Amino acid sequence: FMEFEEALSAWDHRYQQIGSGAFYGNLFHTQVGEVSVFRGHWERAIHYRGVAPKGTVALAVTLKQSDEGRWLGQCLGLNDIIVTGCGVEGEYRSPPLWDTLVCTIPRAELAQRIAKITHDDPEKIITRGIARLSPRMAAHVRRAILTYLGAIKRLGAGSHAQSMLVEKSSALVERSEERRVGK
């Protein structure tokens, strides 16, 4: 867990293994400016406490899990996204197998995009805690994430991979906006 904590040094976070057996996990991390994306995978139940980097909102999408987890005491299933703003301490108890992608986005940028897509008050969404998606929408989000991660791994690190992060993020938001307004 020290490697997780060091690799994601902008976070104020702590991990503790609560499941028995030797820990196995891995981390993939990429960042462009203030947008950060990391994939964490572990195969033992853990207890996490932490705060997202200053000025950001963190979104955590479960890619695979062996059972439900608990985010701030609420059940977290495969179709749920954790939404946590900076300054709000999160607490998560994971199932024995959890594979997730976490994206941190500047709060102001995310609020602007939410307002454009939904025409609702972004603060209600940003402070929600858990966004519950339909199984179909959750599967779509997971496929988009896995496609992005696969492309980044094939291309390797560097400026092309970083520009791809920006392009893929913008394309996903634009497709969401089109679906929302019925284009």
Side-chain angles (χ1 to χ4, degrees):
F1 297 122
M2 296 297 288
E3 290 175 21
F4 274 62
E5 292 171 4
E6 289 172 19
L8 302 169
S9 61
W11 288 74
D12 175 12
H13 56 172
R14 295 154 309 284
Y15 299 86
Q16 178 182 9
Q17 182 173 326
I18 55 177
S20 61
F23 176 79
Y24 172 78
N26 55 57
L27 175 71
F28 171 80
H29 178 248
T30 186
Q31 184 161 346
V32 177
E34 294 178 315
V35 176
S36 172
V37 176
F38 72 87
R39 182 178 186 177
H41 173 99
W42 49 77
E43 297 185 5
R44 292 292 179 253
I46 61 105
H47 178 229
Y48 160 86
R49 293 184 76 97
V51 178
K54 185 176 181 177
T56 68
V57 173
L59 307 170
V61 178
T62 300
L63 301 174
K64 186 176 181 181
Q65 64 184 33
S66 58
D67 201 354
E68 287 186 333
R70 297 195 71 75
W71 175 255
L72 297 172
Q74 298 180 57
C75 287
L76 183 72
L78 186 61
N79 300 324
D80 302 328
I81 297 177
I82 296 171
V83 181
T84 183
C86 177
V88 177
E89 184 172 56
E91 178 182 25
Y92 183 63
R93 292 182 180 274
S94 81
L97 167 67
W98 196 48
D99 188 0
T100 186
L101 180 113
V102 178
C103 179
T104 60
I105 303 168
R107 185 180 184 92
E109 181 179 333
L110 181 61
Q112 183 180 41
R113 291 193 182 262
I114 289 170
K116 188 174 180 182
I117 293 169
T118 67
H119 306 292
D120 293 333
D121 178 8
E123 292 304 312
K124 290 181 181 177
I125 295 170
I126 290 173
T127 59
R128 180 177 291 165
I130 297 177
R132 308 223 185 253
L133 303 181
S134 70
R136 183 176 177 196
M137 180 55 79
H140 172 74
V141 169
R142 283 191 295 276
R143 277 191 306 274
I145 288 168
L146 292 171
T147 298
Y148 162 73
L149 289 172
I152 290 297
K153 286 182 179 180
R154 282 190 306 277
L155 292 171
S159 61
H160 184 69
Q162 290 180 348
S163 66
M164 187 176 172
L165 171 61
V166 174
E167 290 171 22
K168 289 287 186 186
S169 298
S170 295
L172 187 58
V173 168
E174 287 169 12
R175 282 196 305 270
S176 298
E177 289 170 0
E178 288 173 0
R179 284 193 182 119
R180 176 71 179 163
V181 296
K183 290 183 181 176

